[in-house]
């Protein structure tokens, strides 16, 4: 626990110092929601059925943009190699990076929900919807953090990570969209999709923790 706390504090400081990637993700998310609001207003007067897809596509791509840089700077500067030889469990390194990415993305997503509430005139800050957002975010951040480790030493990582992540995250994206629709009182069978989302998140988190020591050594 002490090792995880120490690495987490280091990651949070690094996150603040090198915040250009996260600011780019936040800017992308804001522009996406703003563009969708004008486009959907022109296409239809009833935007509520389309909101789950709008939100999760925005969340997903913002997360991939930001998480892709998780280990890149540390790998370039040799900090990641130093962490691997430090007397800290591999799970502590992964857990700290996961938590720091999760905190930053949740802040972006809450801001997106506030912005979407205003633009689409629909209440999106319910407890149920935020819980679904947190569950889905944990699932895809677990996977993208692992993949960013795999691509940290690859020059074309900006292309590699989306290519690897998007096919794996398709079930999560579908389940999250359907569960979000259920939270918005749309006839989507929300409970079954919420269960699938929880199962996928558990699989993603557990699998990433188990695979990280092997991926980090490559």
């Amino acid at each position: 626990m002490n090792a995880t706390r120490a690495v987490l504090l280091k990651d949070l400081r690094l996150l603040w110092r090198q915040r250009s990637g996260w600011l780019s993700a936040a800017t992308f998310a804001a522009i996406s929601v703003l563009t969708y609001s004008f486009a959907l207003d022109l296409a239809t007067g009833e935007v509520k059925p389309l909101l789950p897809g709008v939100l999760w596509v925005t969340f997903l791509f913002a997360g991939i943009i930001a998480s892709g840089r998780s280990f890149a700077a540390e790998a370039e500067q040799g900090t990641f190699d130093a962490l691997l030889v430090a007397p800290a469990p591999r799970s502590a390194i992964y857990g700290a990076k996961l938590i720091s990415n999760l905190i930053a993305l949740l802040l972006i997503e809450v801001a997106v929900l506030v912005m979407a509430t205003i633009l689409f005139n629909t209440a999106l800050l319910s407890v149920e919807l935020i819980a679904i957002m947190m569950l889905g975010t944990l699932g895809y951040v677990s996977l993208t953090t692992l993949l960013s480790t795999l691509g940290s030493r690859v020059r074309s990582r900006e292309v590699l990570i989306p290519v690897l992540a998007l096919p794996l995250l398709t079930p999560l994206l579908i389940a999250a969209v359907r569960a979000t629709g259920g939270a918005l009182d749309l006839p989507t069978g929300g409970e079954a999709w919420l269960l699938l989302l929880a199962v996928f998140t558990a699989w993603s988190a557990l699998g990433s923790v188990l695979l990280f020591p092997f991926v980090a050594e490559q």
Side-chain angles (χ1 to χ4, degrees), residues 65-128:
I65 290 171
S67 298
R69 295 290 300 173
S70 293
F71 288 96
E74 293 177 306
E76 292 168 359
Q77 298 169 8
T79 309
F80 185 51
D81 293 328
L83 280 175
L84 294 179
V85 299
R90 298 287 190 269
S91 58
I93 299 173
Y94 174 80
K97 185 64 68 176
L98 172 65
I99 294 171
S100 63
N101 286 341
L102 191 62
I103 290 172
L105 279 172
L106 287 175
L107 290 175
I108 292 174
E109 289 172 357
V110 169
V112 168
L113 288 181
V114 172
M115 186 176 179
T117 297
I118 296 171
L119 291 174
F120 295 106
N121 194 28
T122 303
L124 298 174
L125 293 174
S126 67
V127 174
E128 184 181 3

Side-chain angles (χ1 to χ4, degrees), residues 22-33:
W22 294 99
L23 290 176
S24 298
T27 303
F28 165 82
I31 292 175
S32 295
V33 173

Side-chain angles (χ1 to χ4, degrees), residues 4 6 12 21 31 34 37 40 44 51 55 73 82 92 135 152 166 169 190:
T4 303
L12 290 175
I31 292 175
L34 184 62
S37 70
L40 296 180
T44 177
L51 280 179
L55 292 174
L135 183 63
S152 60
L166 290 176
L169 290 172

